[in-house]
Amino acid sequence: MQRPLAGLNRHNLVRELLAGVTLLAIAIPLNIGYAQIAGLPATAGLYALILPTIVYALVVSSRQLVASPDAAAAALVASSIGGLAVAGSADYATLALAQAIIVGVMFVLLSVFKLGFLANFLSKPILIGFVGGLALDIMVSQVAKMLGVHIDSGAEFTTKVGALIGGLGTMNVWSLLIAVGSVVILLGGRKLLAVVPWALVVLVVATVVVLLTNAQQAGVDVLGEVPAGPPHLTWPVIDWTMWLALIPSAIALTMITTAEGLLVSRSYGEKRGYPTKPNRDLLAFGVSNIVAGASASFTVGSSTSRTAAMDQAGSRTQLPSIVLAIGTLLLLLFGTALLADIPSPAIGAIVGVAIIPLLGIRDFAELWRKDRFEFMIGAVCFLVTLFVGSIPGIVVAFVLALINIAKRAANPAIDVLQASGEPGESLLEDAPLGSVTAPGVIVIRMAAPLFFANGDVFAQAAQGAVTAAGVDQVRHLVVDMEAVTDVDVTGAESFEALQGWLSQHNVSLSFSRMRPEARQRLIQLGLLSTQQIFATNRAAIAALSTGDATVSPSGKG
């Protein structure tokens, strides 16, 4: 079993400690902002950096993946719990704890039953659309915060946009100046020297400006008092009906984190040459979320941006996460007074800049160039998430995934094969529709299981191949079964109809290279007789042994 903090040694200890300081500077301002997005106090974001982070770092197989609440998860928490309780209330916070525990249990179950593959249903277009919709919804709230306009962050997207536009007359000039300066520092500083924690620089500079200019008296909102002390252990006590009401959103959070977390974990493992264990990573997410729910925090996911920052800093272990946890604990014990005067426009600027990549503008442009159908999948998921809600968005995401699978399965590659090479050889290559494999013989191949979505497609393709070659010229149709791994009842009915059509035209049907499971299935469905169980019929063998046709592009059914 892999030891905790794998990869750490005396040669990289100093580098890993310095990376931890950098991570601390990045994570604290972001987590304060994400807690506000989720409708929770700043302490909820900071508590997530202590016990959940330590547990995750000690259990996970990835040496670099950073676990933390992120913008998309925070928005999903807000949108799902906002309809069940008032943001900022005790009931709201209790539901957030319960939601994190449900997510943790789901992760543990995924790990135990090795079900991480389910996240593969969330293809890239679906993730782009879903996360992009959440990100744009977040952006409206952050823009309002930067302008000093008060809106209900838990309202629907259209309501928030209307409130923002209607409240422009109440915009605070000092808030706007602080926000513009923060954005300039964040974007400009990143280009000048990327290794500097510019988010921390923004918080320090903006707080000093507020203190020196007394901007709070001019209407600039500040974070306010942050309770001092370590996280306290607790357990949410709610009615069982509320536990049930949280399950759909917990499923959405679990699947999004699984898809992103496992992908990032694997990519960095391959990039840096160390092994990762997906099921152990799922277990790490599980226990860290259960701990988050029991320590007054909220759902923990994977942070792609912080993982990338640690990779750039040269970190190859989980020690920076431990440093982050210790540093956050010290801040909560001795330095919460430093947080009280942080201006909200600066926090809004930090979060707003951080989520710009999540909008998926470049990703949508790339999808448009590569595949218009997949672009439409992403766009539909984006619009549903934005205008209907996050839970309907994830439901639509799974439906679109199934539609995408069915669309591709319903149009498999169907090839007519022809002989090539020297006489006596039986090398088969693709041929154009209308060709015969050899005199009187057509060999046709479908590169997919035969089931309800493609049964008629295959039957029509086979009939088309026979008709195109000339019904009077074809005596044998051989189906190459190498790629057919299964046949369902509907596919069998299409096959049976094809057999009847071939019989009417005096064309025999045979099978070649049949898999044992497919053979058993055809016998069970009454489609295969003992006379047909052979490698291929004699006429095909005899014809193919003298074939010398040239190779040409494949014909698709």
Side-chain angles (χ1 to χ4, degrees), residues 23-37:
L23 181 59
L24 180 68
I26 295 171
I28 286 178
L30 283 178
N31 272 43
I32 291 173
Y34 294 159
Q36 292 189 335
I37 291 173

Side-chain angles (χ1 to χ4, degrees), residues 104-116:
V105 171
M106 288 181 176
F107 271 120
V108 172
L109 292 176
L110 286 176
S111 174
V112 171
F113 293 103
K114 297 178 172 56
L115 297 177

Side-chain angles (χ1 to χ4, degrees), residues 190-210:
R190 184 183 300 172
K191 291 184 178 181
L192 291 175
L193 198 59
V195 297
V196 174
W198 292 106
L200 182 62
V201 172
V202 164
L203 285 190
V204 172
V205 172
T207 302
V208 170
V209 168
V210 168

